[in-house]
Amino acid sequence: MKRTAVVTAGTAGIGLHTALGLAAAGFSVTVVGRDSERGARAVDRIDAVGPAASARFVAADLASLDEVRVLADRIASEHAASADALTVLVNNVGAMFPERRELDGVEASFVVNHLSPYLLTELLLPTLTAGAPSRIVNVTSGAVGVAKRVFDGVEPPGDYYGFHWYGRAKLANLAYTLDLAKRLEGTGVSVLAADPGGAATEMTNGTLTDPKIVSPALRLLWPLVRRKFERSTSGPASVAAKPSISAATDSALAGRTGVVVGAQASPVAPFRAATDPRLAKAVRRLSEHYAPLSAP
Ligand SMILES: NC(=O)c1ccc[n+]([C@@H]2O[C@H](COP(=O)([O-])OP(=O)(O)OC[C@H]3O[C@@H](n4cnc5c(N)ncnc54)[C@H](OP(=O)(O)O)[C@@H]3O)[C@@H](O)[C@H]2O)c1
């Protein structure tokens, strides 16, 4: 029986290096992305390091909840029809937007960073439970620290600042991760978060150079803020993937759940706000409303 892993946004950046690490650990890896040529190149690279040489690419735009449902359905039915367990799901997709935009009427960073991984996870829970012991790894970010902690609606009040909106969506996802870990206790499905620290990737290269992404207060300090961004995102994606690889494979974490693996690839205390049960409840309400398990 093969041990299989799914890595979303796994054809470049931190996701590709996560997939390489999982393949080297013996997993048959499915990487998800939008661009099939890039997907094919990623599969060649992954097969070159993995003893199983059984990587594959599945196309899906994870900014579309309809495509997430189709993807989940495909993965679930393939596993139901085979003897192979789904052992690891790494929800690695993430995005930051300099300008506010909507996807099907919902602010985009909340969709990509939280609703999309939430929906994929919920739809794959029966498959992950059947494959237990299994692990869900949700990729978080230090940006949770700059989030407006208001979750009455899908968006906080006030003007749009991409970095803070990104941090808020990641905070929602971290609260969901810790909440889900409690919900799944005793099922054999562990739920972990992994903080990559920072890396030079398309995401960071494309957005962290624009002062519009931070609040006016931080904009006054822009040269300092920009230098901090540059320093914290100058490293390689191969290093930033280590927390996700560790969360997915480290035998010392076997049976542990609700753990946050920090940028040094070892467990750290979760960001305090994400442990607040009121925040988790508000996030659950928003998630169920804006990402129903069946298409509305
Ligand atoms: N980089 C950092 O410094 C940093 C720091 C903290 C946390 N993180 C988190 O780490 C994770 C990975 O970050 P990264 O910097 O490696 O991101 P990235 O540079 O945007 O990752 C590129 C990968 O994402 C895929 N992708 C992008 N949008 C997609 C979509 N809508 N649907 C499907 N695939 C999509 C791309 O494939 P296609 O273009 O072919 O779709 C490619 O495989 C994210 O969750 C991010 O928030 C990153």
Side-chain angles (χ1 to χ4, degrees):
M1 196 171 78
K2 285 193 291 191
R3 285 185 311 152
T4 69
V6 172
V7 181
T8 68
T11 60
I14 296 168
L16 173 59
H17 285 277
T18 303
L20 289 167
L22 293 180
F27 282 88
S28 294
V29 185
T30 296
V31 286
V32 182
R34 292 165 298 188
D35 179 335
S36 53
E37 278 175 28
R38 191 184 224 188
R41 285 196 299 275
V43 165
D44 286 345
R45 276 189 71 179
I46 299 164
D47 276 346
V49 301
S54 54
R56 66 165 182 163
F57 167 74
V58 173
D61 181 353
L62 298 161
S64 155
L65 297 183
D66 284 338
E67 292 200 30
V68 171
R69 290 188 190 91
V70 172
L71 173 70
D73 196 39
R74 172 170 173 182
I75 294 169
S77 29
E78 284 169 356
H79 280 279
S82 82
D84 301 328
L86 177 58
T87 322
V88 166
L89 168 64
V90 183
N91 284 306
N92 170 74
V93 74
M96 193 190 306
F97 302 98
E99 308 276 357
R100 186 183 179 283
R101 65 170 89 155
E102 289 186 1
L103 297 165
D104 291 330
V106 185
E107 190 276 317
S109 60
F110 201 74
V111 175
V112 180
N113 295 292
H114 175 59
L115 294 177
S116 165
Y118 156 81
L119 184 60
L120 186 62
T121 302
E122 291 291 326
L123 292 171
L124 287 178
L125 282 184
T127 311
L128 286 155
T129 308
S134 53
R135 299 189 196 187
I136 298 163
V137 178
N138 288 333
V139 178
T140 185
S141 165
V144 294
V146 298
K148 228 182 217 175
R149 297 177 205 164
V150 184
F151 288 94
D152 304 334
V154 80
E155 258 185 287
D159 292 336
Y160 184 82
Y161 310 116
F163 182 57
H164 301 264
W165 263 233
Y166 164 77
R168 179 177 172 276
K170 287 287 190 188
L171 176 58
N173 196 250
L174 184 57
Y176 165 64
T177 303
L178 301 175
D179 190 39
L180 182 66
K182 287 199 197 111
R183 217 175 98 200
L184 296 184
E185 263 169 25
T187 62
V189 184
S190 300
V191 192
L192 303 97
D195 179 357
T201 63
E202 280 160 30
M203 189 185 89
T204 51
N205 295 342
T207 48
L208 292 179
T209 49
D210 187 340
K212 276 206 301 280
I213 63 165
V214 297
S215 64
L218 283 183
R219 231 176 274 171
L220 290 173
L221 305 169
W222 179 246
L224 282 176
V225 173
R226 179 158 185 189
R227 225 170 302 138
K228 190 165 186 315
F229 281 154
E230 276 167 2
R231 263 202 307 270
S232 61
T233 60
S234 60
S238 56
V239 173
K242 287 185 178 168
S244 292
I245 298 166
S246 166
T249 62
D250 189 345
S251 56
L253 293 171
R256 292 185 61 189
T257 193
V259 174
V260 179
V261 177
Q264 305 305 316
S266 54
V268 294
F271 182 62
R272 189 123 175 264
T275 64
D276 181 345
R278 287 164 305 176
L279 199 157
K281 192 173 167 198
V283 167
R284 204 178 314 137
R285 205 175 43 238
L286 289 174
S287 310
E288 287 168 1
H289 181 76
Y290 287 98
L293 302 195
S294 321

